[in-house]
Amino acid sequence: MPPAGQDPHPERIETKQDLAEQLRALRQLAGAPSLDSLARKAFPGSRGRSNATTVRNWLAGKHAPRDGDALCRMVLELAKTAKLPDPEATTRGFADAYDRIADARLRERQARVPGTQAQVEPAPAKRWRWWPVVVAAVLVLSGGIGFAVASHSYPPPSVLAFPSCAEAFPTGHSSGYLVLTEEVGPPGEPNPNRRVQLRVQKDTEGAWHAYAYLAESPDPQDQAYLLWSYQQPTAPRENWRECDGELINKVQQTPGVLSRDRNGWPRWFRACVQVPQGDQIPGRGREICTSPTRADN
């Protein structure tokens, strides 16, 4: 653990235990706020002891965060309270650490998918930033040849450049799949009776496709769909493309969307289901969605 009084070093984080040490150090710098206070910072729109338990598990190194956005909200508030020189830079460092842990976890899961041989590749260094691209140009100038190499960043394509389901890979549960995350509902229902899953499946060329799968539903009027985007998880809804589900083998599921497009850009995904208005809990929404998740290697 970093000595008391020193800034945390998120660049050293490689495992959930490393993350826990750095979070505990940052918490001490911020005056050791309570678990309930930390939970409110991480999950400002939600209440319940389960959030405090989630944060406790982060600090103990028992579980790595599933919601990178919640982690970053908490880190940013702690860094501001601790009066660190650059709270935003500290938060970006923890975001990169979250990426490294999530990438390692996903590669481990991919290796266990039945019927597939997952290739373990180095995790991308950064997930939430634009990627640097090196462009080489050959210049022929007055009888001589010069070489110029430029480095620059550029934004990913717009989701509107694709059909709603992009590559629309046919999905099915019989050829081996992996459940990345799931959510139950409806929101506010003490006895949830819906369960929607974000799944991934490989095609014949070894590329991973993400899709929504309505694993549990009592009502045929439930509407399953997949949200996908190139933007960060906090991007507004208009930056997310919606791919509608269809009934396949008596189960609502969507076509698959490449986890990275053909040019290598990574995508974020959310599996969702909307319940009929008659099943909506008063004062709560009708939409059940998983947290934003990247499904690439």
Side-chain angles (χ1 to χ4, degrees), residues 72-159:
C72 289
R73 282 194 295 266
M74 186 181 78
V75 167
L76 181 60
E77 291 303 317
L78 285 174
K80 289 179 178 179
T81 302
K83 295 182 169 52
L84 296 186
D86 192 342
E88 288 75 16
T90 298
T91 304
R92 288 194 297 271
F94 275 89
D96 289 339
Y98 168 84
D99 292 345
R100 292 192 293 273
I101 294 171
D103 287 332
R105 181 172 58 206
L106 181 56
R107 292 198 303 276
E108 290 174 1
R109 288 179 174 178
Q110 288 174 344
R112 297 197 297 267
V113 176
T116 65
Q117 296 293 326
Q119 298 295 320
V120 179
E121 302 175 358
K126 293 189 177 182
R127 174 177 291 174
W128 291 355
R129 258 61 61 195
W130 292 350
W131 290 8
V133 178
V134 178
V135 180
V138 179
L139 304 178
V140 181
L141 300 174
S142 60
I145 300 179
F147 295 89
V149 179
S151 177
H152 65 279
S153 298
Y154 60 93
S158 167
V159 293

Side-chain angles (χ1 to χ4, degrees), residues 186-204:
E189 171 59 58
N191 300 303
N193 56 7
R194 270 86 165 177
R195 181 160 53 95
V196 63
Q197 297 177 335
L198 177 63
R199 294 184 174 190
V200 289
Q201 198 172 62
K202 272 191 173 181
D203 62 20
T204 56

Side-chain angles (χ1 to χ4, degrees), residues 212 223-227 237 242-244 254 270-272 274 287:
Q223 299 289 325
Y225 49 96
L226 179 73
L227 297 177
R237 184 62 175 263
E242 184 173 318
C243 174
D244 291 332
T254 68
R270 301 184 73 185
C272 300
Q274 186 177 71
E287 189 177 60

Side-chain angles (χ1 to χ4, degrees), residues 238-257:
E238 57 264 25
N239 288 342
W240 293 80
R241 203 81 158 103
E242 184 173 318
C243 174
D244 291 332
E246 54 190 18
L247 202 62
I248 301 175
N249 297 329
K250 299 182 179 180
V251 177
Q252 276 200 57
Q253 53 189 299
T254 68
V257 176

